[in-house]
């Protein structure tokens, strides 16, 4: 009986430290200390438990990790939250919980949340005309704004602005080397009346980011820090890629830890609430996650029914090369991934998206909704921890060329 109690106590401690505690087997003593500290800090927000303690079957999760490891897929992090608890937390190639990653277009979803916060403060509305806001901050751009008078914030957020912009692969002045990104963005031309056609172009979030900054009366990244990142207890975040005017992009450049991406997912799942505080208005979250008239699978910088098969409700964020925050309301769950997977294919069928769809539909959903309640056992917990340790020792092979901003940071 005493032996059994000791085993149970050990399992409770392992679940409290989280799956990330498997790093104790593969990292230096200093790294072990950092990992434990990170786990304890996060425990107050998103405590870790063994999957079976939350009614989640760990067996499909182990099989998924074995597949990713066996095929050397460059999935840097994969986190699953159930009922506000971390039930699966996988890192590869020696990475840890405190590493952050370039999120690419997941940044757009954050920008939409910031717009919603400003709506709640009475400083913005979805139907606001964008030109007066942009012109207030940049009166020198009045000539280029002349053809954009009818565009409202909601049109930019739903990628239905009617603007036309031709991206120059590899050398586009809109991106990281831009001295004045907004000046480039306003050179786009109004080709269609706003609200008619979905066209996923990156000038839209640049304009929204400017509107956010003007309404907030400060840079977008600084407003985000005070009104979103700090209230959610985030750490190690960075909004990279500011141009020479000091403005960050509303559409890319944000770096977050996966555990903090999961907090964003929980904020969406809980209609904008975090630990009893209404951080983003509930009505805004509902609008974000409702398809716009221009696209059945897109709201306000939020993909809808984009990942899960068989019609189960699902929405979230997607970024280039395989960065995801997926909310599964029926399962009260959130899935997060950062990766460097193949980019061939289009917006709705890219290889990284297809791989992620397989992870969610073939492994994660069966784990979250098992046919019968899974039995918690020392053997299952040990099998999961053993696989997570093996995964951490395995470095994936990038599925596409790594850019300067793709390296994980601390």
């Amino acid at each position: 009986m005493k032996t059994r109690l000791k085993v149970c106590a050990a399992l409770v401690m392992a679940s409290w430290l989280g799956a990330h505690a498997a790093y104790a087997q593969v990292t230096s003593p200093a790294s072990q200390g950092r990992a434990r500290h990170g786990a304890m800090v996060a425990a107050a927000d998103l405590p870790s438990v063994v999957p079976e303690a939350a009614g989640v079957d760990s067996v499909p999760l182990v099989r998924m990790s074995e597949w990713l490891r066996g095929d050397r897929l460059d999935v840097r992090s994969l986190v699953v939250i159930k009922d506000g608890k971390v039930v699966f937390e996988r890192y590869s190639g020696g990475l840890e919980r405190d590493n952050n990653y370039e999120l690419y277009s997941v940044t757009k979803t954050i920008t939409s949340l910031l717009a919603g916060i400003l709506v709640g403060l009475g400083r913005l509305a979805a139907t606001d005309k964008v030109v007066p806001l942009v012109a207030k901050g940049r009166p020198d751009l009045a000539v280029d704004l002349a053809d954009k008078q009818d565009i409202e914030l909601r049109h930019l957020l739903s990628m239905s602005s009617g603007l036309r912009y031709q991206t120059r692969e590899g050398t586009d002045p809109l991106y990281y080397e831009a001295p004045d990104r907004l000046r480039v963005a306003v050179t786009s031309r109004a080709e269609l009346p706003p609200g008619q056609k979905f066209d996923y172009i990156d000038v839209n979030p640049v304009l929204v980011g400017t509107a956010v900054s003007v309404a907030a009366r400060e840079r977008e990244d600084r407003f985000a820090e005070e009104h979103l990142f700090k209230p959610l207890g985030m750490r190690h975040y960075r909004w990279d890629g500011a141009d020479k005017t000091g403005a960050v992009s509303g559409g890319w450049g944000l770096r977050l830890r996966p555990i903090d991406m999961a907090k964003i997912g929980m904020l969406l799942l809980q209609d904008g609430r975090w630990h009893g505080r209404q951080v983003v208005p509930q009505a805004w979250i509902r609008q974000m996650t409702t398809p716009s008239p221009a696209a059945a699978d897109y709201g306000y910088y939020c993909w809808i029914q984009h990942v899960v098969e068989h019609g189960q409700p699902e929405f979230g964020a997607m970024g280039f090369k395989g960065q995801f925050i997926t909310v599964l309301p029926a399962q009260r769950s959130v899935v997060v991934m950062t990766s460097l997977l193949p980019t061939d294919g289009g917006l709705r069928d890219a290889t990284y998206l297809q791989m992620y769809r397989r992870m969610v539909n073939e492994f994660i959903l069966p784990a979250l909704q098992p046919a019968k309640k899974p039995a918690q056992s020392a053997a299952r917990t040990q099998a999961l921890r053993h696989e997570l340790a093996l995964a951490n020792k395995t470095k994936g092979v990038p599925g596409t060329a790594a850019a300067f901003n793709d390296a994980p940071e601390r």
Side-chain angles (χ1 to χ4, degrees):
M1 182 65 177
K2 289 182 179 179
T3 300
R4 182 180 297 174
L5 288 173
K6 287 180 180 178
V7 170
C8 291
L11 289 175
V12 169
M13 179 59 70
S15 67
W16 180 70
L17 290 174
H20 188 60
Y23 281 36
Q25 303 174 36
V26 293
T27 55
S28 67
S31 295
Q32 292 172 28
R34 288 194 301 269
R36 291 190 183 100
H37 175 72
M40 288 186 284
V41 169
D45 293 330
L46 295 172
S48 297
V49 299
V50 294
E52 280 73 16
V56 177
D57 188 352
S58 63
V59 174
L61 300 176
V62 170
R63 288 204 307 266
M64 174 180 65
S65 183
E66 289 171 342
W67 160 48
L68 300 178
R69 179 169 54 85
D71 285 5
R72 299 285 301 278
L73 297 180
D74 196 2
V75 173
R76 280 94 181 272
S77 69
L78 188 55
V79 179
V80 181
I81 309 294
K82 169 72 172 178
D83 291 328
K85 300 178 180 66
V86 181
V87 296
F88 184 76
E89 190 172 7
R90 179 191 192 272
Y91 302 97
S92 68
L95 297 170
E96 301 179 359
R97 174 180 270 185
D98 276 344
N99 287 110
N100 67 26
Y101 307 84
E102 161 70 65
L103 301 188
Y104 290 97
S105 288
V106 170
T107 305
K108 295 178 174 68
T109 307
I110 307 303
T111 291
S112 182
L113 289 170
L114 298 178
I117 292 171
L118 287 163
V119 169
L121 293 172
R123 299 188 197 174
L124 272 182
T127 53
D128 280 348
K129 297 289 180 65
V130 175
V131 166
L133 284 164
V134 175
K136 183 177 180 180
R138 293 291 301 273
D140 57 307
L141 301 178
V143 172
D144 286 311
L145 292 168
D147 65 340
K148 303 171 178 65
Q149 302 294 327
D150 293 332
I151 298 174
E152 299 174 2
L153 184 65
R154 62 192 175 106
H155 299 136
L156 296 168
L157 288 165
S158 60
M159 293 291 184
S160 61
S161 64
L163 296 175
R164 177 69 175 168
Y165 182 81
Q166 186 61 49
T167 302
R168 286 186 276 171
E169 291 295 331
T171 61
D172 198 292
L174 190 66
Y175 295 101
Y176 286 90
E177 299 302 319
D180 186 347
R181 187 175 292 113
L182 181 60
R183 183 176 292 278
V184 176
V186 298
T187 63
S188 59
R189 286 286 161 248
E191 206 170 71
L192 293 171
Q196 288 190 359
K197 183 181 178 183
F198 176 85
D199 188 9
Y200 195 94
I201 57 172
D202 279 337
V203 298
N204 290 330
V206 172
L207 294 170
V208 174
T210 301
V212 165
S213 296
V214 171
R217 298 187 285 276
E218 62 181 326
R219 280 174 36 167
E220 183 180 5
D221 54 332
R222 291 173 182 164
F223 181 78
E225 181 171 41
E226 291 302 319
H227 293 268
L228 185 61
F229 301 159
K230 285 183 178 179
L232 267 61
M234 295 184 177
R235 300 192 298 123
H236 299 298
Y237 49 80
R238 187 161 73 87
W239 208 317
D240 201 7
D243 65 16
K244 291 181 180 178
T245 73
V248 295
S249 164
W252 58 91
L254 180 60
R255 305 184 69 94
L256 292 181
R257 301 183 304 160
I259 201 71
D260 291 327
M261 296 168 68
K263 292 178 182 181
I264 295 295
M266 288 297 298
L267 189 72
L268 291 166
L269 177 64
Q270 296 170 160
D271 284 333
R273 294 184 68 80
W274 181 254
H275 292 322
R277 174 181 174 181
Q278 195 72 46
V279 178
V280 184
Q282 180 185 75
W284 186 262
I285 299 295
R286 299 281 175 88
Q287 188 63 62
M288 276 183 68
T289 58
T290 298
S292 74
D297 60 354
Y298 202 74
Y300 286 174
Y301 294 162
C302 187
W303 289 98
I304 302 162
Q305 298 305 127
H306 194 57
V307 174
V308 172
E309 300 167 354
H310 312 305
Q312 293 193 50
E314 165 262 313
F315 53 84
M318 176 177 71
F320 191 48
K321 302 181 184 180
Q323 327 311 317
F324 289 92
I325 302 172
T326 299
V327 179
L328 304 168
Q331 291 76 30
R332 305 182 303 283
S333 297
V334 172
V335 182
V336 163
M337 185 175 84
T338 63
S339 66
L340 198 61
L341 295 177
T343 59
D344 52 303
L347 189 62
R348 293 178 170 92
D349 63 357
T351 298
Y352 61 78
L353 175 57
Q354 300 288 13
M355 289 178 169
Y356 181 67
R357 283 171 174 160
R358 183 183 174 194
M359 292 176 216
V360 172
N361 289 286
E362 294 186 20
F363 299 99
I364 295 175
L365 276 174
L368 291 172
Q369 47 191 25
K372 61 179 183 178
K373 184 178 180 180
Q376 186 173 345
S377 70
R380 282 187 173 218
T381 302
Q382 181 56 32
L384 176 61
R385 295 190 65 195
H386 177 67
E387 173 54 35
L388 292 175
L390 290 176
N392 187 250
K393 294 177 183 177
T394 304
K395 185 174 177 60
V397 176
T400 188
F404 73 92
N405 55 320
D406 283 324
E409 294 180 357
R410 283 187 63 88

